[in-house]
Each structure stands twice: as C-alpha cells, then as structure tokens.
Amino acid sequence: MLDDMPKIARELSALEVKSLSGHGWHAVGGVAGLLLQVKCEPDTGKVLSRSWILRKRIGGKRQPIGLGSYPQTSLADARNKARTLSLDAQNGVDLLAKKREQRSAAIAAEARKKTFRECAEAYMEAHASDYSNDKHRGQWASTLKEYAYPKIGQMLVADIAMPHVLGVLQQHTKHRNGTAGKLWETKTETAKRLLGRIKTVLDFATVSGYRSGNNPAQWTGYLSTQLPSPRKLQKKEHHPAVPYQQMGEFMTQLRKHDSISAKALEFLILTAVRSGSVRQAEWSEIDLNKRLWIIPAAHTKARQEHRVPLQPEAMALLKVMPRMAGTDIVFPSPKGKALSDMAISQFMRGMRERGELTVDAVPHGFRSTFRDWAAEQTAYPDEVRKAASGHTVGDAVKEAYQRTDLLDKRRNLMNEWSRFLCQQTSQKASKVTPIRKRS
C-alpha cells in the first residue's frame, strides 16, 4: 500500500517509468513523495492518462500537488520540479496556495493576450443596441478598419502606449480634395472620431482586465501635449442650406412632386427634425388629436424622447398620406420599410439636376435654414429655438432642475415657421423659375 512505501523509493530509470502501466500511483524515486499517477479503463486496463504527483505533508495532511502530464513533462523535469517544491515546503511555503497563485497568474496572463481588434469587435458586439442606426454602426467599424487595425489591430491591448496611438493619428493620408498629409491635420474631424473610438476600446479593455494603467488615447494632459488642438486645425464645414429668404421658391418647386421622398422632405422642413427621425417615423408615434409627434429615444441622435408639436401644414400633410398595409411606417419605401438614408438626398439631387434647385443644399441643411430664420426673424429665446431642433438645452445642472421641454412655446414658434413658409410660398406660387444661388 501507498502509506507503507519508503519515503524515498528506488530511483527508476526513464525506461522503467515508460513501462509503468498499472492503474494507481507509482513511486519513481529520486525525490520523496514523487509519484506517477496512471489511470486505466476499468474493463480493458487500457491506459487513459499518466501524470506526475508530488505528495507532501501540508497542515498535518498529505496533499497531492500536480506537476504536469507524462510524457509531456519528462521524468527529469518532474524530479526538478519536485526538488524545488520540497525545498519550498521545508522553508515553510504553502505549496497549495502557491499552486493556486501560479494558476491564477497563468489564467490572468492568458486573458491579457487580447489584441486591439479583438477588444474592438467585442465592444461593438456588446454595445450593438447603442448605435442609432446601421450607418452609425458601420461607421464605427469602417473607421477602425481603415485607420486603426493596420497600425495596432494585431497588437496586444496591454502593450499599446501613446507612441502607438500617435502613430495611428499621424499616419499619412489624402484628403478628398487631393491634398496629402497627416491624418490629424488633413482629416481632423475623422481623426477626432477615430481617437474617441480608440479611447473607448482601450477603456473597455482596462475594465475587462486586459490592460492596466492610464489610457494612452486620452486627450487632456496626454495627447494634448503632443498634437495641435483640433480647434485650430479644423475648418468647420456647414451643411449647405437653402437661405430662408428663398424658401417660398423652393417649397413651390417641392410641392410639384408627389413621391414619398418629396413628402418626407416637406415634413422634415415643417418639423425641423433630423432626417433619420422622419424616415423612421411610425403612425403609432403620432397623436393627431393632440397634434403631437412623440419621437422615441431610439429614433433620436441624443437618445432622448423628443416631442414635436405639429402645426396645421404638417397635420394637413399627414392627413393626405396614404397608409400602406402591413407597415406602420409613415413614409415607407416600396417594400414597406423605412426609407434609406440616401432616399431624400437623392431626391434633392434630382431637383438640382432638373434645374428646380440651383443651391447645392442637402436635407440636413434645412435645420440650419430654420435656425437662421428663428434667430433673425423671431424673438424667441435661444433655449426655445434649440429645443425645437431637438438639441439638449443648458448644462447638466440646468437639465437636472428644468424638467419641461418648453412644448407650448415651441408650438408657437413652429406655428410661426409654418405661417412664414405659407406666406413665402403664396408669394412665389406664380413663379416657376428656379431659385437663385446665394451670392
């Protein structure tokens, strides 16, 4: 029996150890308590596995400590490990605790072997529902794929430092106008978004235990000491818009069309909201009796519910809109789904090609048209004008105490906007010439 074995058994050779095949623990000698554990199939006696065990008295009990499988761990290696552990035990080391620590360290080290790309993809998968639409999700992935992955995609996130992030931001690229230069200086807005996404991925990696220390993609106090401020580099490009003074001519041309895209664009103009909210609008969001459109948080850029007062012109448009069977979308595509993000843009491009519009304007520009009109032609406070466009009003403190969304004041403002458009349209209705370019 095992308990009757001498403390140090006869020292077996490597060939003798290789021939051990009986089920049980076999002393191999050389180090007291060193055993080869053999596991066999009960019925056939076929050897299933063989592994090294060191039995030592710990806390008054003999405890087995695994030293690895055989033959992956050779006899010589097993004896060396056993001698080291025996010496540790003589010096008072808790061998089981040390074994657990080594196992934990090995698991942690393996977990840290995550690349930047693996972490980025894990983050995007975990936050798939956070993206406002498929286009936003695609932009996140494509920006990293184009600029970050070639530089740091295969690096372990634990190894990424500021020089690596700078390497991404200072890589050479070409602007759409043909000029070449560093990404941070040539495509500043793209680089800013890229930096934010890299920072988010590294934050995710830190919280997940894949890296430690400061985030090298942090701007304040870190990259701000290495790169020029984007405010000094960036030339703000506004969305081209139709001047509000020319809206009568534009509305006259627009109302010659009866397509779904044309109706969606008119509704966008009347409500001054983003095209995404218009394209995804559902009849269940609209209360015709209260003349109110409640845009759910999922359909807004700010991810907050937004109430839109509907003036008479908007109500009249909705009342003549046909309803497609099988869908709740207000402005559906032929397949009954929401219009694509290019549908309204393509419609305006068609107007330009036909000479109905000579200003190089885009749908999003009508929000600027509305804001310019409201600022120059009305006396409403800035917070009312901003709220009408769905912008967050005030700082965090003001938001905490001001719970109203100024709906009544916004309704008055939108009614004035509707009347302005009607007046402009009636004055220009007899004219069929295209609108003039802004000088």
Side-chain angles (χ1 to χ4, degrees):
M1 295 184 59
L2 187 62
D3 289 338
D4 296 327
M5 291 190 309
K7 292 186 177 181
I8 301 181
R10 181 175 69 85
E11 191 169 338
L12 302 183
S13 66
L15 186 61
E16 288 176 310
V17 169
K18 186 177 181 180
S19 66
L20 294 174
S21 58
H23 183 83
W25 289 2
H26 303 268
V28 298
V31 180
L34 179 59
L35 313 166
L36 182 69
Q37 182 182 30
V38 180
K39 292 184 179 180
C40 299
E41 171 68 39
D43 297 330
T44 64
K46 179 182 178 180
V47 175
L48 299 176
S49 66
R50 292 188 286 183
S51 58
W52 296 108
I53 300 293
L54 176 65
R55 290 191 82 209
K56 283 294 176 183
R57 190 171 296 278
I58 301 173
K61 281 187 174 183
R62 279 188 179 179
Q63 300 285 354
I65 301 170
L67 302 181
S69 60
Y70 176 85
Q72 286 78 9
T73 300
S74 68
L75 172 62
D77 289 340
R79 282 174 173 154
N80 287 335
K81 288 182 180 181
R83 290 189 186 98
T84 300
L85 290 176
S86 296
L87 182 60
D88 287 342
Q90 291 174 14
N91 293 329
V93 175
D94 186 333
L95 298 185
L96 289 179
K98 182 178 180 180
K99 184 73 172 178
R100 286 193 293 268
E101 290 173 2
Q102 290 175 335
R103 186 182 297 112
S104 297
I107 293 172
E110 187 64 30
R112 288 169 67 88
K113 292 180 182 178
K114 291 285 186 179
T115 66
F116 178 84
R117 181 166 188 161
E118 288 174 333
C119 288
E121 291 174 348
Y123 173 84
M124 287 186 283
E125 179 67 24
H127 292 264
S129 61
D130 291 354
Y131 303 108
S132 55
N133 50 52
D134 291 338
K135 181 179 179 181
H136 184 205
R137 184 183 297 108
Q139 287 173 338
W140 238 88
S142 63
T143 305
L144 293 174
K145 183 177 180 180
E146 182 173 0
Y147 299 110
Y149 292 167
K151 297 287 185 179
I152 61 174
Q154 297 307 312
M155 286 188 65
L156 298 181
V157 286
D159 296 337
I160 294 176
M162 184 189 292
H164 304 116
V165 179
L166 285 172
V168 174
L169 300 177
Q170 293 180 317
Q171 62 183 289
H172 285 273
T173 186
K174 280 190 176 181
H175 193 272
R176 59 176 175 267
N177 62 15
T179 60
K182 296 178 180 179
L183 179 64
W184 185 254
E185 299 170 358
T186 306
K187 298 181 180 179
T188 306
E189 185 60 33
T190 298
K192 279 178 56 183
R193 293 195 184 102
L194 174 64
L195 175 59
R197 288 162 189 171
I198 293 174
K199 180 180 182 299
T200 297
V201 172
L202 294 181
D203 282 339
F204 169 81
T206 300
V207 174
S208 301
Y210 305 143
R211 62 171 285 119
S212 58
N214 294 323
N215 192 323
Q218 181 175 322
W219 174 255
T220 304
Y222 286 82
L223 292 174
S224 62
T225 68
Q226 306 295 312
L227 296 170
S229 170
R231 293 181 181 179
K232 296 180 179 179
L233 295 172
Q234 194 174 15
K235 294 180 180 179
K236 192 170 184 179
E237 297 181 2
H238 296 281
H239 291 280
V242 175
Y244 69 84
Q245 298 90 338
Q246 299 179 24
M247 281 302 295
E249 298 177 28
F250 177 80
M251 296 298 286
T252 299
Q253 297 291 337
L254 174 61
R255 286 171 176 169
K256 293 178 181 179
H257 300 274
D258 197 39
S259 67
I260 295 295
S261 293
K263 296 300 183 184
L265 178 58
E266 183 176 354
F267 193 66
L268 179 154
I269 294 169
L270 292 170
T271 56
V273 302
R274 291 181 173 85
S275 63
S277 298
V278 171
R279 291 185 294 100
Q280 298 177 82
E282 299 181 358
W283 288 109
S284 59
E285 301 169 6
I286 296 172
D287 190 329
L288 294 175
N289 293 325
K290 293 182 179 179
R291 295 175 296 142
L292 194 64
W293 173 25
I294 302 177
I295 306 176
H299 293 175
T300 68
K301 183 177 181 180
R303 312 303 284 179
Q304 295 179 354
E305 182 181 276
H306 179 48
R307 298 195 299 170
V308 180
L310 298 173
Q311 0 77 322
E313 290 288 306
M315 291 289 294
L317 186 151
L318 290 173
K319 288 178 180 178
V320 299
M321 282 296 298
R323 299 202 183 191
M324 181 183 288
T327 182
D328 195 41
I329 300 294
V330 178
F331 303 101
S333 69
K335 294 183 179 180
K337 298 182 179 181
L339 292 173
S340 72
D341 60 342
M342 291 301 295
I344 303 177
S345 298
Q346 289 173 345
F347 171 76
M348 285 192 69
R349 189 178 301 117
M351 291 185 70
R352 288 197 299 274
E353 292 172 353
R354 291 186 295 271
E356 299 168 338
L357 171 63
T358 55
V359 175
D360 187 22
V362 297
H364 194 80
F366 287 107
R367 288 167 59 79
S368 296
T369 303
F370 167 75
R371 287 196 296 270
D372 289 347
W373 167 82
E376 296 181 13
Q377 299 295 317
T378 76
Y380 287 92
D382 182 57
E383 60 184 14
V384 175
R385 302 197 304 268
K386 285 184 176 179
S389 296
H391 288 292
T392 301
V393 179
D395 57 22
V397 175
K398 190 170 185 179
E399 287 180 44
Y401 290 95
Q402 180 177 291
R403 304 300 174 87
T404 177
D405 61 359
L406 308 173
L407 180 64
D408 292 337
K409 292 182 178 180
R410 289 192 291 116
R411 186 180 293 280
N412 292 334
L413 172 60
M414 300 312 294
N415 284 340
E416 288 191 29
W417 172 239
S418 179
R419 286 195 294 270
F420 169 78
L421 293 175
C422 288
Q423 291 168 359
Q424 290 286 306
T425 304
S426 63
Q427 292 173 8
K428 303 293 182 179
S430 60
K431 297 184 179 181
V432 294
T433 55
I435 65 177
R436 301 178 300 278
K437 287 185 178 180
R438 186 188 294 187
S439 58

